[in-house]
């Protein structure tokens, strides 16, 4: 790394700004902040970036990938701090410098794996942070499954934490939203872990129906009130119908995660609600649940934010592929969906773009054979990968 005093300078780079590209330029950062940048030849002593892309570190609002590190096999629970460190390393080499760790805030009778363990993981994240074990900047996203009996109680246990930045309102009751086709949900559970039989799924689904009827309406009011009281942004989840959109507007939702139909996306957009879609949806060319393709929303100007969801490396891949799939979207606009726009959505205006005074959260990306590789990562000016 080439530095002058406490300043680092990178030259011969393709720099992705919030509104345009610098095809050959340089950037300098010092004391954790971006100092300046320019076009053409860099000041003497700059490190040669070899024509690679320099862009803001990626910002992830919804990833539940931590669960795969904590429970790597059915009924196998890894040390939670070690799981967080492993997961954090994967985020960093994927170019993600700020992440909202999505934790399941609910318990369900008979459910195993990570249900009901949000508190354990939140403490593990805090412990890893305090021990300076983390490369990325971690916040919390509380995924609230509204029909579950204990969701309000569990949310209250976590919402006072200073790192909570988002709460999502979820309802995975069979036959609606993401899984309007109940058969798709059955396929999902059959393939998950050790799988479930039809008889076991019948019992699970009946319990879910009963929970929704008994608890959903009351829990929704209480969770929304809790979020507004603590001034935590709200996200709706899997909006499908006009009624879902109306509910999102009523609840003053800021972000709509993974709308499943074009009609819902249009209604959310008209209401000024930011639309978040899965980066794997872009990379794969469609939804794994058979719902609307993210690229179709992008073509209509209805895509604001991308999330890696269940595979961290998809975030950078999808952003770089968007201009190829939607000619009206240039590279700067595509990168905004994974940097500036998500940062603003959760109240982090100090990052997400290359501009003087912003945090020097930066990544150097080399692309070959249409595959991006993150060569270097800086968080507040310190190289972490």
């Amino acid at each position: 790394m080439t530095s002058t005093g406490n300043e680092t300078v990178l030259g011969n780079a393709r720099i992705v700004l919030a509104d345009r590209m610098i095809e050959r330029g340089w950037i300098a950062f010092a004391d954790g902040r971006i100092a300046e940048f320019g076009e053409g030849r860099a000041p003497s002593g700059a490190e040669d970036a070899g024509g690679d892309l320099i862009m803001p570190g990626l910002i992830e609002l919804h990833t539940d990938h931590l669960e795969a590190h904590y429970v790597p096999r059915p009924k196998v629970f890894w040390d939670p701090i070690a799981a967080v460190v492993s997961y954090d390393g994967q985020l960093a080499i994927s170019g993600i410098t700020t992440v909202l760790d999505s934790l399941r805030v609910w318990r369900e009778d008979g459910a195993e794996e990570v249900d009901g363990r949000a508190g354990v993981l939140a403490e593990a994240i805090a412990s890893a942070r305090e021990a300076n074990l983390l490369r990325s900047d971690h916040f919390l996203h509380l995924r609230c499954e509204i029909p579950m009996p204990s969701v309000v109680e569990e949310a209250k246990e976590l919402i006072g934490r200073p790192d909570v930045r988002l709460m999502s309102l979820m309802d995975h009751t069979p036959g609606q939203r993401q899984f309007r086709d109940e058969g798709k949900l059955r396929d999902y559970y059959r393939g998950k872990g050790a799988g479930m039989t039809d008889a076991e799924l019948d019992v699970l689904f009946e319990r879910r129906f009963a929970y929704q009827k008994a608890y959903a309406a009351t829990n929704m009011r209480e969770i929304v009130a809790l979020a507004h009281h603590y001034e935590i942004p709200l996200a709706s989840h899997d909006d499908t119908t006009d009624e879902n959109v109306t509910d999102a507007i009523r609840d003053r939702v800021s972000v709509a995660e993974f709308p499943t139909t074009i009609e819902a996306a249009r209604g959310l957009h008209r209401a000024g609600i930011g639309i978040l879609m899965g980066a794997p949806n872009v990379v794969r060319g469609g939804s794994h649940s058979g719902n609307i393709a993210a690229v179709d929303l992008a073509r209509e100007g209805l895509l604001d934010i991308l999330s890696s969801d269940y595979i961290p490396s998809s975030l950078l891949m999808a952003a770089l592929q968007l201009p190829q799939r939607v000619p009206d979207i240039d590279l700067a606009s595509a990168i905004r969906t994974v940097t500036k726009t998500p940062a603003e959505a959760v109240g982090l205006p100090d990052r997400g773009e290359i501009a003087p005074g912003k945090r020097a959260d930066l990544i150097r990306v080399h692309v070959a054979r249409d595959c991006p590789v993150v060569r270097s990562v800086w968080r507040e000016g310190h190289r972490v990968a």
Side-chain angles (χ1 to χ4, degrees):
M1 184 56 53
T2 300
S3 302
T4 304
N6 65 348
E7 183 178 65
T8 299
V9 184
L10 305 174
N12 189 22
R14 300 177 64 218
I15 301 174
V16 186
L17 304 179
D19 58 354
R20 65 185 177 94
M21 286 285 302
I22 295 178
E23 289 299 334
R24 185 171 184 271
W26 57 274
I27 182 171
F29 48 96
D31 301 321
R33 301 285 163 170
I34 295 168
E36 55 182 331
F37 57 85
E39 300 193 41
R41 179 175 293 183
S44 61
E47 178 184 351
D48 187 346
D52 288 341
L53 291 164
I54 299 294
M55 63 180 73
L58 309 186
I59 296 175
E60 171 60 71
L61 298 190
H62 177 123
T63 176
D64 49 16
H65 193 63
L66 172 56
E67 297 163 357
H69 292 260
Y70 180 45
V71 187
R73 291 288 186 273
K75 302 181 182 180
V76 174
F77 293 86
W78 208 243
D79 177 89
I81 295 177
V84 169
V85 172
S86 172
Y87 154 74
D88 170 77
Q90 187 172 3
L91 294 176
I93 64 172
S94 298
I96 298 168
T97 54
T98 297
V99 58
L100 271 59
D101 302 312
S102 300
L103 304 182
R104 300 187 194 187
V105 184
W106 72 84
R107 296 186 185 93
E108 183 175 12
D109 291 340
E112 297 182 10
E113 299 185 357
V114 295
D115 292 354
R117 300 176 189 272
V120 172
L121 293 176
E123 284 302 316
I125 293 164
S127 295
R129 183 191 298 117
E130 290 165 7
N132 197 29
L133 296 175
L134 301 179
R135 304 181 188 193
S136 300
D137 202 7
H138 288 252
F139 298 92
L140 299 184
H141 170 174
L142 306 184
R143 304 173 64 211
C144 302
E145 186 68 18
I146 295 302
M148 293 300 168
S150 65
V151 67
V152 175
E153 174 189 344
E154 292 184 60
K156 287 180 178 178
E157 293 173 359
L158 293 167
I159 196 169
R161 303 174 69 99
D163 49 357
V164 175
R165 285 282 171 168
L166 186 66
M167 297 176 71
S168 54
L169 307 168
M170 304 193 307
D171 187 341
H172 289 98
T173 303
Q176 65 173 33
R177 294 185 180 253
Q178 180 183 3
F179 292 109
R180 284 182 294 170
D181 181 348
E182 189 176 304
K184 294 281 188 183
L185 185 57
R186 286 180 178 271
D187 290 343
Y188 172 80
Y189 276 110
R190 287 191 192 104
K192 186 178 181 183
M196 298 182 71
T197 67
D198 281 330
E200 290 170 331
L201 287 172
D202 288 341
V203 173
L204 174 66
F205 286 9
E206 285 303 315
R207 184 168 67 238
R208 294 274 179 89
F209 292 136
Y211 282 164
Q212 188 189 55
K213 183 177 180 180
Y215 302 109
T218 299
N219 286 352
M220 177 69 83
R221 289 193 296 270
E222 293 195 32
I223 290 291
V224 169
L226 198 60
H228 291 330
H229 176 76
Y230 281 88
E231 299 182 334
I232 304 298
L234 276 171
S236 60
H237 196 81
D238 297 334
D239 294 316
T240 301
T241 65
D242 290 341
E243 182 181 2
N244 297 153
V245 174
T246 299
D247 290 346
I249 296 169
R250 176 200 66 203
D251 295 332
R252 288 181 278 155
V253 158
S254 301
V255 175
E257 299 181 322
F258 318 118
T260 68
T261 64
I262 191 74
E263 294 78 15
R266 287 169 179 159
L268 294 160
H269 178 74
R270 285 194 297 269
I273 296 171
I275 297 173
L276 178 152
M277 293 294 285
N281 186 314
V282 174
V283 175
R284 296 179 68 253
S287 164
H288 74 277
S289 302
N291 296 312
I292 191 70
V295 168
D296 289 342
L297 296 188
R299 291 191 181 109
E300 286 209 21
L302 302 176
L303 175 64
D304 300 299
I305 299 169
L306 284 173
S307 162
S308 71
D309 197 7
Y310 56 89
I311 180 164
S313 62
S314 69
L315 196 59
L316 180 59
M317 291 178 67
L320 294 177
Q321 288 180 14
L322 262 184
Q324 302 169 24
R325 304 204 179 190
V326 186
D328 288 342
I329 296 179
D330 61 17
L331 184 58
S333 300
I335 296 303
R336 280 202 306 274
T337 69
V338 294
T339 55
K340 189 174 190 290
T341 305
E344 292 174 343
V346 293
L348 295 170
D350 61 340
R351 67 197 73 189
E353 66 176 313
I354 291 177
K358 298 287 185 177
R359 280 174 53 129
D361 292 353
L362 300 165
I363 59 175
R364 175 184 169 184
V365 178
H366 180 73
V367 182
R369 299 180 183 268
D370 294 325
C371 182
V373 174
V374 178
R375 285 184 158 169
S376 301
V377 181
W378 295 267
R379 177 182 152 203
E380 289 192 287
H382 298 287
R383 187 166 179 170
V384 295

